[in-house]
Amino acid sequence: MPTAPKRTYTVEDFSDLINARLQRLENKKEAQKRYGSLLAVLRQQVDSYRLRKASGQ
């Protein structure tokens, strides 16, 4: 059974990988901050609509 050749990794490879992952995490956090408040507002509006609809029946 042939085995795949072992690849050697440098410190720079790991550094680039870690930086890319951190960048993705920061982008995700930024999106959650930005859209999280929007979602909260939408939820409040839906809740108040449901309450008005329920009390109007």
Side-chain angles (χ1 to χ4, degrees):
M1 232 167 89
T3 57
K6 290 185 178 175
R7 175 152 187 238
T8 57
Y9 292 95
T10 63
V11 172
E12 288 80 15
D13 290 333
F14 282 111
S15 177
D16 290 344
L17 179 67
I18 289 168
N19 285 335
R21 294 275 166 94
L22 281 174
Q23 187 67 44
R24 262 190 257 152
L25 273 177
E26 285 171 11
N27 290 341
K28 188 176 175 185
K29 281 182 190 170
E30 184 63 34
Q32 283 174 340
K33 260 193 276 182
R34 186 171 296 155
Y35 297 114
S37 56
L38 180 63
L39 283 174
V41 169
L42 285 172
R43 278 193 206 112
Q44 285 175 338
Q45 290 178 342
V46 168
D47 287 344
S48 65
Y49 169 77
R50 284 185 182 148
L51 285 173
R52 274 184 283 143
K53 192 175 176 189
S55 65
Q57 287 177 350

